[in-house]
Amino acid sequence: MAAEGLRRGENGLKVYVMAEIPANILLAQDFAERFDGFSIGSNDLTQLTLGVDRDSESLADVFDENDAAVTGLIRILVPRAHAARRPVSLCGQRPTDDPAFAAFLVRVGIDSISVVPDSFAAVKQHVAAAEDHDDAEGRMAPAGNHATHADAPPAA
């Protein structure tokens, strides 16, 4: 990047690491020293955590972002990244298709969710409902603070 004139921190350039392998998450503090934030690629994280080819029809029934290993890694990453003052986002289809997964992300304190344009309104409603529910239950941290622990979403 530097050879091409791109330097982290200059002219607002921020460099994020894709948190798609367990090592990115388990060593989040080390990665936070080199990157400005984390973006969870939920499909690849699921595939590489479970060792399941996401494109295999014969294994489709075991490919699940709700698996405890995957949600556990997300629960590990968010507070570690936040402790290093690094934001965490998630890109993937699951928050669009599964309101419980969107609510799980809210509970763990995710900073942002990337979605395709045609699902924006639905995901925004899922997130707002989760925030309203957590506010009513008194479990959500005030704006600007992030929860450090949350339960996994219910199995699909």
Side-chain angles (χ1 to χ4, degrees), residues 52-119:
V52 174
D53 180 0
R54 70 183 190 190
D55 296 322
S56 171
E57 289 183 30
S58 62
L59 298 174
D61 62 320
V62 294
F63 183 89
D64 185 5
E65 291 98 329
N66 280 327
D67 186 276
V70 178
T71 58
L73 286 170
I74 293 170
R75 281 195 307 272
I76 289 169
L77 175 60
V78 174
R80 287 183 182 182
H82 288 165
R85 300 186 186 276
R86 299 292 188 258
V88 181
S89 65
L90 182 130
C91 55
Q93 186 65 29
R94 191 63 182 236
T96 300
D97 299 336
D98 183 356
F101 194 79
F104 160 71
L105 295 173
V106 168
R107 288 193 310 271
V108 298
I110 198 88
D111 295 291
S112 63
I113 301 170
S114 297
V115 297
V116 295
D118 63 343
S119 66

Side-chain angles (χ1 to χ4, degrees), residues 129-147:
E131 288 175 341
D132 288 346
H133 179 265
D134 285 351
D135 282 342
E137 296 288 321
R139 290 189 309 244
M140 182 133 177
N145 294 325
H146 300 283

